[in-house]
Each structure stands twice: as structure tokens, then as C-alpha cells.
Amino acid sequence: MSSAKDVKGPRARGPEAAPGGGADPEPPPGQGSAPEPPARGRGTDPEPPPPGGVLWSLSGDIRALLMLPAALTLQVAHPAVGAGVDEHSVFRTDPWGRGERSLRSLQLWVYGGAEAAEEGRRLRVLHRTIRGTDTRGRPYHALTPANYAWVHATGFPVYQHAARYLIRPMTPAQERALYAEWLQVGRILGIHDRDMPQSIEEFWPYWEQMLAGEIEATTVVRELVDVDQPVPPPDRGPWPLRAVLRALWPVLLPPLARFRRFVTIGLMPPDARAAVGLLWSAEQEKRLRRMCTVLRVVVPVLPERLRYLPRARAARAAHRTAAPNG
């Protein structure tokens, strides 16, 4: 399988309707065995994305929660990643806990400051022992660079595409800033520059090659978009709320499962959706656009405590306080 550095040249075309998902904090399984990327010293830890940048505004916005299922599904569409999640993840038995940990990790990468690099080291240690055989009979290890890079790479096109619907289309300058910041996140996770395309012009041929030759509807992909898949009721939050949800779960789960499938497929870049074999109709596209129009109008007028996730909100407040004119 080719790594990012094997695909060079100008972008032939971008994803259809292009314009984030984030990467799954359970790093990817991949082919073969690979050593952990060398740990950086405290003095040379990579910096998280800058305050006021594209990711700073995007990944903490509550609308970003709707982007994450598409990114996760694309990650596990890789045969090795799907096999690793299938064999080693607790997403079936503890979906709410896993989701909470995933979101916490993603927020740390962007808003965690000094904690960001520590979280990257924690994740690499966590996945040192994860290995097996993928759906094509190839051995994988969770820290194989090419596949680790794929899990991270999926965040950029999902953010870019979904932002067009949920927030606004990005300008070319914003797209470049987003990609540069996403590369910074990759460095926090221990991904070497040689294993990721270093520009948008290099990214799209890499993306197209992965879609054409590697991505498929794995077992985990099918489960994530299956509306009949059993999901336990939420086990977090105040106990009265948990009790009510447990009692109503047989009624609540079917529409929630249909909504999850709808946003997962709808906010996935169309070329990726086609590569995985997920169907999407013109009527569904109209429904998605109507829903996103409402969110584009409503969310920006919400108070900050409702618009941003807690860690993002705290980081934004701390940055304002620390600013010279704060």
C-alpha cells in the first residue's frame, strides 16, 4: 500500500461539493509492524493549532459534533483500521464511554495547550500492542505510519466538506490554513511529515488513490450506518435523566439511529461516499440542506456557553483573559 509520500503532483480535482471530524483517538491499525514514533522531549513538543485559527473556531463549535460520525466511518473503511476497531475497540459494549473519550481527546489536540502533546504520547503508548490481520489477509500494527496517517487524514476533507453545509464554504486561504493546522495536529499525534502530504496539492492525489484502491465497506462501516444495530442507553449524566432515557430507549433509539445514518452519509464527501458504496438520494440532499440552513441561522446567535463545547469555551475564555487587550 502506498503512503502519502508516494503520491505527488498537482491536484487533479477536489471532492465534489467540497468543503471537521475528526480523527478517532484510538489510532489506526495498519499493515505490518512498526515502532512507535520517537517521543519528543518536553522542550521540543509540537505546538497545538493557534488560538484564533480555523480549527480553534471549527472543532469546538457544537455543529462539529455532527461531522464526527462521517470522519469515524471513513477511518474504519480502511481494511486494517476496520479490523483493528472490530477486534480491539469497545465501541459495541461501551459506545458512550468511547465517544466521550474520543471527544475529550480531540478537544485536547486543539485546545489542550501543553496537554496536547501529552495526549498524543498517551495514545501511542495505548496502541503499542494492537496488531492482527486485516480483512485482506495482511498483518497490521496500530502504529504503522501509513495507516496511522490515514486515520488522521480523514479529518481534513470531512471538516472542509461539512463546513460548507453547517457553517459556510471556506475560502482558499481558509482551506490552506485548515490543512496546515491539521498537519500540526498530526505532529502532536506523532505522525512524521514524511508520512503525510505536506500541501493541499499533494493531499488530493493521495486522497483519490486511497479511495480508489484501499477503502471499502468494512464490517464496522456497515454497523455504524445500520439503523437496526443494538445500542445500549446512555450511561452518563444525572441518574434521573439516565433512568428516563433507559425507560424510553426502545422508542428513542430508532429515530436516533436513522438520524445518525443520515448525518454520517450526508456529511461525508461525495467521492468518499461513493468509494464506500453508501447510497444518497436527491431528496436526502434536500433534507440535509434544509436542516443545515436552520443550524447556520440558529447556532451563531446562541450564547457562547451553548455554542461551544466546554473545553473549547474554557480555552477561548482563557485566551481572551491572557490577551493584552483582553
Side-chain angles (χ1 to χ4, degrees):
M1 176 183 143
S2 299
S3 67
K5 63 182 179 179
D6 295 326
V7 186
K8 301 290 183 182
R11 176 185 176 184
R13 60 176 179 83
E16 182 184 343
D24 182 355
E26 295 186 16
Q31 282 181 258
S33 177
E36 177 192 1
R40 300 173 185 259
R42 292 285 180 179
T44 58
D45 280 344
E47 293 292 326
V54 178
L55 273 176
W56 185 266
S57 298
L58 182 61
S59 63
D61 190 300
I62 58 172
R63 290 168 288 186
L65 294 175
L66 297 175
M67 306 177 189
L68 299 181
L72 172 60
T73 302
L74 274 179
Q75 291 163 15
V76 298
H78 190 292
V81 181
V85 171
D86 188 19
E87 296 167 2
H88 298 281
S89 176
V90 297
F91 81 99
R92 295 185 184 95
T93 57
D94 184 24
W96 303 103
R98 187 185 186 282
E100 182 180 70
R101 293 188 295 273
S102 297
L103 184 59
R104 174 186 176 276
S105 191
L106 174 58
Q107 295 291 290
L108 279 173
W109 306 341
V110 178
Y111 303 106
E115 293 181 77
E118 184 60 37
E119 176 68 2
R121 285 190 286 270
R122 185 190 72 83
L123 292 173
R124 294 194 297 275
V125 170
L126 183 66
H127 291 85
R128 281 175 176 171
T129 60
I130 296 178
R131 64 182 71 228
T133 302
D134 73 12
T135 58
R136 300 183 186 180
R138 303 172 301 191
Y140 71 78
H141 185 282
L143 295 174
T144 296
N147 301 305
Y148 196 8
W150 167 254
V151 168
H152 177 62
T154 57
F156 168 68
V158 169
Y159 271 142
Q160 183 206 44
H161 174 69
R164 177 182 293 273
Y165 288 84
L166 289 162
I167 301 174
R168 68 178 67 86
M170 295 184 188
T171 66
Q174 288 171 331
E175 290 183 7
R176 290 184 177 279
L178 173 63
Y179 192 74
E181 292 172 20
W182 202 238
L183 287 177
Q184 286 181 253
V185 172
R187 295 179 189 114
I188 288 170
L189 297 176
I191 299 173
H192 294 292
D193 285 351
R194 64 175 178 266
D195 296 316
M196 277 288 292
Q198 292 300 292
S199 69
I200 290 181
E201 288 77 11
E202 293 179 0
F203 177 81
W204 293 121
Y206 157 72
W207 169 254
E208 291 166 358
Q209 180 171 315
M210 292 295 293
L211 296 185
E214 200 67 45
I215 303 311
E216 62 183 37
T218 62
T219 297
V220 181
V221 166
R222 292 194 295 270
E223 289 188 27
L224 290 177
V225 297
D226 182 3
V227 297
D228 296 319
Q229 192 69 21
V231 178
D235 57 359
R236 277 148 175 78
W239 73 262
L241 177 60
R242 296 201 309 269
V244 170
L245 289 174
R246 190 179 305 113
L248 296 177
W249 198 237
V251 176
L252 295 175
L253 178 58
L256 288 174
R258 290 193 296 270
F259 180 74
R260 179 191 62 192
R261 176 184 172 89
F262 177 70
V263 297
T264 297
I265 300 176
L267 294 177
M268 187 179 292
D271 51 356
R273 186 194 301 152
V276 181
L278 297 173
L279 300 179
W280 186 250
S281 69
E283 180 56 34
Q284 287 173 311
E285 180 69 15
K286 291 178 183 177
R287 287 169 49 206
L288 178 68
R289 290 179 181 274
R290 286 196 297 267
M291 181 192 78
C292 292
T293 296
V294 173
L295 292 173
R296 286 201 308 271
V297 172
V298 172
V299 173
V301 300
L302 293 176
E304 187 161 309
R305 69 180 184 277
L306 299 178
R307 180 178 175 183
Y308 289 97
L309 298 170
R311 184 171 288 275
R313 191 168 64 247
R316 290 167 64 87
H319 178 64
R320 284 195 299 269
T321 300
N325 298 321

